[in-house]
Amino acid sequence: MARTGKAKPKTGKAAAKTSKSVSKVRKPGRRTLGRKVFRAFVSGCLVLILLPLLWIASYRILNPPTNYYMLSEAWRLGGIERMWRDLDEMSPHLPVAAMAAEDAGFCAHWGLDIEAIERAMAANESGKRLRGGSTITQQVAKNVFLWPERSWTRKGLEAGFAITIEVMWPKDRILEVYLNIAEFDEGIFGVQAASQHYFGKDATDLTRIEAARLAAILPDPKGRSASRPGPWTRRRAASIADGAATLRTQGRSDCI
């Protein structure tokens, strides 16, 4: 016959052992809490790394939308002009002229021109101003992903983005994006809008000199004109045209 009734309570060592087991289950130790904090930290770091990588990778295929500076200019001026053109829809003189004007070593570097950076830092050492030394890839990084303010923080982020862009995008894509986001006059962005604004023609039809003149005004687009160039702009455009011819002859533009 089965016995019924209440089980006898445990006493002595058995009761103490049971009590310790219960307390271990109910109260997580410091080691368990530390693991949770560490996992949360690692997960947060991975998100901070992966999101920018996915952002950069997406623009290898997708055309970047209006950036911060374009939005601010559109607000200030009441609108801007910008029309996207793929690289194969541009005059072949345009990309080489841009390289000759802004970054002759574009095909050789991986986003940063160390010698140019050292020269710029030496020139600015006294005033601590950040100017010069930027490659086309760095300008893409700044204009597409960052903000225009000059600061060491932005320059550091710019360098990191530039190297990542070089890893993820082909050279012709970098140059294509650059030529579509560069400012050529007040409220005029990209070579297609600039070609129509200055010469009344499509970017496909630009001559060697016209392409060189557009490249010549890039450092100061609001203070120079491609259609009514002053003496300095004419000399600069002629130098760019000669430089573009040299890049072609030496095979230094073969990456596009």
Side-chain angles (χ1 to χ4, degrees):
M1 182 178 292
R3 296 180 179 180
T4 58
K6 296 183 179 179
K8 294 181 179 180
K10 295 181 180 180
T11 58
K13 292 182 179 180
K17 186 175 181 180
T18 302
S19 176
K20 288 181 180 180
S21 300
V22 172
S23 65
K24 285 182 180 179
V25 172
R26 291 180 179 177
K27 297 180 180 180
R30 292 182 179 178
R31 186 175 298 178
T32 303
L33 181 60
R35 285 175 181 172
K36 289 182 178 179
V37 172
F38 177 74
R39 287 173 183 169
F41 174 76
V42 171
S43 298
C45 289
L46 287 174
V47 169
L48 290 176
I49 293 171
L50 289 176
L51 283 180
L53 291 178
L54 291 173
W55 189 17
I56 295 170
S58 68
Y59 288 161
R60 175 174 176 150
I61 301 171
L62 304 174
N63 294 332
T66 303
N67 59 27
Y68 171 87
Y69 179 67
M70 291 179 190
L71 286 173
S72 65
E73 285 295 276
W75 176 265
R76 184 176 70 87
L77 300 171
I80 61 173
E81 294 181 35
R82 183 195 181 207
M83 291 161 278
W84 187 274
R85 279 294 181 272
D86 293 339
L87 200 63
D88 57 7
E89 297 176 326
M90 300 178 193
S91 165
H93 300 296
L94 272 169
V96 188
M99 290 169 58
E102 296 290 298
D103 188 1
F106 176 71
C107 287
H109 64 64
W110 282 83
L112 306 177
D113 187 335
I114 303 302
E115 293 182 0
I117 292 173
E118 290 176 348
R119 289 194 299 269
M121 291 181 68
N124 293 308
E125 187 175 357
S126 58
K128 304 298 182 183
R129 291 184 62 193
L130 294 174
R131 56 182 296 180
S134 292
T135 64
I136 284 176
T137 313
Q138 285 177 270
Q139 294 181 57
V140 169
K142 177 190 71 175
N143 292 328
V144 174
F145 299 102
L146 301 172
W147 59 93
E149 177 192 6
R150 287 178 176 176
S151 67
W152 290 109
T153 300
R154 199 221 69 202
K155 291 296 287 187
L157 290 172
E158 179 183 295
F161 270 85
I163 293 171
T164 308
I165 288 170
E166 287 278 351
V167 172
M168 292 188 166
W169 299 4
K171 287 285 189 179
D172 54 355
R173 177 59 174 171
I174 296 172
L175 202 52
E176 179 179 76
V177 171
Y178 173 73
L179 290 170
N180 275 286
I181 62 175
E183 182 184 27
F184 288 91
D185 198 355
E186 192 170 53
I188 306 297
F189 293 90
V191 293
Q192 176 62 15
S195 299
Q196 294 183 349
H197 174 70
Y198 285 115
F199 306 115
K201 60 170 67 175
D202 195 271
T204 307
D205 303 321
L206 290 178
T207 66
R208 182 174 67 96
I209 295 301
E210 288 169 342
R213 285 184 180 178
L214 285 181
I217 66 174
L218 282 173
D220 185 16
K222 295 177 181 177
R224 301 172 188 167
S225 171
S227 58
R228 297 184 300 276
W232 186 95
T233 302
R234 287 181 183 276
R235 291 193 300 270
R236 176 60 177 157
S239 175
I240 290 171
D242 291 342
T246 300
L247 289 179
R248 286 196 180 94
T249 301
Q250 296 178 350
R252 293 163 62 193
S253 62
D254 290 348
C255 64
I256 56 171

